[in-house]
Amino acid sequence: MILFSSKIKSNYKPKRLAVKLNAKGEQFVVQGHPWVFSNNITKINDDAKSGDLAIVFSKNKNRVIGLGLYDANSPIRIKMLHSSHEKAEINSTFFQNKISDAFTKRQPLLKTNTNSYRLLFGESDYFPGLIADVYATVLVVKIYSEIWLPYLEAIIPSLQETSGAETIVIRLSRGLEKSKLHKLENGEVVYGTLQNEVVEFVEHGVNFSANVIKGHKTGYFLDHRANRKQVGEWSKGKTVLDVFSYAGGFSVHALANGAKEVTSLDISKQALEIAIQNGKLNNYSGKHKIIAGDAFVELKNLIKNRVTFDVVVIDPPSFAKQASEIDLAKKKYAQLAELGEKLTAKNGLLVLASCSSRVLTQSFFDINSKVLSSNNRPFKVILKTGHDTDHPIGFQEGAYLKCGYYRFVD
């Protein structure tokens, strides 16, 4: 008998809610969009609570057009699970089928020398507000909303069975940590045992580690996997600068692929220590240097000292977490493109990335092209990429990652 922690069991039994939307809200649901905002709802039960099953009816005809979960604490009041005229029962079998579908999509990736992947990517896999990442034999489930509390008892065993994980860790968003509707703790092991909170895994043949208890998100950022592999392949014999390096994803791939010298730059000394340790999990002959400090300041210092690199990778955190920050974010991306160009050696490669979903893909690439063109230095755009295959894009707002590769032809 497989034993899971009793803490994943909820005392709340979800109700069924009859919901009607305005024309705009109905259009979103019919088109398969996963979000229904509060101002799109025209009729709903007065006693609705987070986790209740919202049965969405068409505005004029009394027919069901979708099923979702009600979230009392979010302006996205209903998070859709199923948008179709076909009938569906939200139960263990429903979730198992969705998890199996998601796992099937990841099979091409798992046929490579990789044992770390995102099994569930929130809305894009019909699990809005829930992420499931696998690191070797450890599965980390990150929950962002109370809507999932009544369903964990059905979902967690299915995730374990599908992934074959020996250990399952629950991570909670800050908001959910404060919730009184559960007894879970952030970083709690709800299945199996965990000997060490730092778990080693493999990414395209390169060894890494993730702190699944205390690390950012679920412990690591898996979305840039394909870009890290690409940068690694183009770094043999090169000098490389990895800006906003965090745990050294790009740095370690470069070292493992024969880079001559790699510099990891991050504001967090702790993250840089992890980058050094991740590097040591692999065999390499190059030199690994670190710079701890604010990226904008340190890049200017490098320019002042006339230091350049064959490969420069700039992958900052999100600069626009809300609409009011979009203009400032665009200015920061322009600054980084300008600084990056000055640090890229003759015939070098500049890689610029963004994970700000509010800064649209074309806008980001336009900023880069405008800045680089203004310097009268010839360059070629050799590649534009987005999410890796285990981060499928199910709707426009879910497309946050973009990455441009610029080769200077001096």
Side-chain angles (χ1 to χ4, degrees):
M1 182 179 177
I2 298 178
L3 296 176
F4 294 87
S5 170
S6 60
K7 290 188 180 181
I8 65 172
K9 187 173 184 178
S10 172
N11 293 325
Y12 180 64
K13 292 186 178 181
K15 302 186 301 297
R16 294 164 72 89
L17 308 174
V19 179
K20 284 207 171 186
L21 311 177
N22 59 21
K24 185 177 181 180
E26 182 173 334
Q27 184 181 25
F28 278 179
V29 170
V30 170
Q31 292 175 347
H33 198 284
W35 297 341
V36 175
F37 290 88
S38 56
N39 59 6
N40 293 140
I41 299 172
T42 59
K43 186 178 180 181
I44 193 169
N45 305 47
D46 292 334
D47 58 348
K49 292 183 179 179
S50 291
D52 285 346
L53 178 62
I55 302 168
V56 183
F57 289 87
S58 60
K59 187 171 181 285
N60 298 319
K61 298 178 181 178
N62 200 28
R63 60 185 174 89
V64 177
I65 58 172
L67 303 172
L69 298 180
Y70 181 82
D71 191 340
N73 301 312
S74 171
I76 303 172
R77 201 53 53 89
I78 298 173
K79 297 177 169 68
M80 300 301 296
L81 301 177
H82 180 75
S83 301
S84 172
H85 300 313
E86 297 177 9
K87 290 185 177 180
E89 286 292 325
I90 307 302
N91 52 27
S92 297
T93 302
F94 174 87
F95 290 125
Q96 175 63 66
N97 290 338
K98 294 293 186 186
I99 292 168
S100 296
D101 289 346
F103 186 66
T104 299
K105 292 177 185 176
R106 275 73 176 171
Q107 290 309 297
L109 173 63
L110 297 179
K111 289 177 182 177
T112 68
N113 189 4
T114 299
N115 64 4
S116 57
Y117 62 100
R118 175 151 291 182
L119 176 52
L120 294 181
F121 182 37
E123 285 87 343
S124 293
D125 285 308
Y126 302 98
F127 283 86
L130 189 147
I131 298 293
D133 287 345
V134 175
Y135 300 101
T137 61
V138 178
L139 172 70
V140 184
V141 180
K142 180 79 181 264
I143 310 168
Y144 290 88
S145 172
E146 289 179 341
I147 64 174
W148 290 111
L149 297 176
Y151 305 95
L152 292 180
E153 191 177 11
I155 293 169
I156 299 297
S158 290
L159 285 171
Q160 187 281 321
E161 181 182 345
T162 302
S163 66
E166 297 173 8
T167 304
I168 299 178
V169 176
I170 294 287
R171 298 291 298 271
L172 305 172
S173 66
R174 290 182 181 177
L176 202 50
E177 277 191 84
K178 299 173 184 177
S179 171
K180 296 179 181 179
L181 300 182
H182 64 85
K183 297 179 181 178
L184 293 164
E185 294 180 16
N186 186 32
E188 183 166 358
V189 176
V190 296
Y191 171 75
T193 58
L194 191 65
Q195 302 299 324
N196 191 331
E197 62 186 39
V198 178
V199 176
E200 293 184 13
F201 61 94
V202 181
E203 179 179 283
H204 290 309
V206 180
N207 299 318
F208 283 94
S209 67
N211 189 317
V212 297
I213 304 296
K214 298 173 185 172
H216 286 310
K217 306 292 184 178
T218 63
Y220 192 69
F221 296 99
L222 297 171
D223 50 5
H224 259 309
R225 183 191 302 101
N227 288 316
R228 289 190 286 262
K229 180 176 183 288
Q230 185 65 79
V231 167
E233 291 172 352
W234 287 345
S235 294
K236 186 174 182 179
K238 308 290 188 182
T239 58
V240 180
L241 174 64
D242 180 6
V243 188
F244 303 101
S245 61
Y246 183 52
F250 288 100
S251 300
V252 176
H253 269 275
L255 288 165
N257 280 273
K260 181 169 61 178
E261 181 180 287
V262 175
T263 301
S264 298
L265 192 165
D266 200 276
I267 199 167
S268 168
K269 291 182 179 179
Q270 184 180 11
L272 290 170
E273 289 172 6
I274 296 171
I276 291 291
Q277 293 306 313
N278 278 337
K280 291 179 179 178
L281 295 175
N282 302 273
N283 294 320
Y284 67 89
S285 57
K287 184 182 294 185
H288 193 182
K289 300 166 66 176
I290 60 172
I291 299 175
D294 177 272
F296 291 89
V297 174
E298 297 301 334
L299 292 181
K300 289 174 184 175
N301 287 338
L302 289 169
I303 292 168
K304 185 178 179 182
N305 292 323
R306 301 194 176 186
V307 180
T308 59
F309 303 84
D310 299 317
V311 179
V312 176
V313 181
I314 303 180
D315 176 34
S318 177
F319 287 144
K321 293 185 178 180
Q322 49 195 26
S324 61
E325 297 173 331
I326 292 175
D327 288 342
L328 179 59
K330 290 180 177 179
K331 290 178 182 177
K332 288 183 176 180
Y333 286 126
Q335 279 183 277
L336 289 173
E338 187 170 353
L339 294 169
E341 182 272 326
K342 288 182 170 63
L343 288 163
T344 306
K346 186 177 180 180
N347 298 317
L349 175 68
L350 174 60
V351 182
L352 299 170
S354 165
C355 64
S356 300
S357 62
R358 293 180 184 277
V359 177
L360 300 181
T361 299
Q362 191 57 52
S363 178
F364 175 68
F365 289 135
D366 286 347
I367 290 168
N368 295 339
S369 293
K370 183 179 179 181
V371 171
L372 298 182
S373 298
S374 68
N375 290 314
N376 297 318
R377 186 180 179 189
F379 69 92
K380 290 182 179 179
V381 182
I382 57 174
L383 192 62
K384 290 181 179 179
T385 65
H387 299 221
D388 204 353
T389 54
D390 58 341
H391 289 65
I393 300 169
F395 64 115
Q396 184 180 346
E397 292 88 342
Y400 65 89
L401 189 68
K402 43 267 184 192
C403 188
Y405 293 69
Y406 304 89
R407 174 78 69 186
F408 292 98
V409 284
D410 301 284

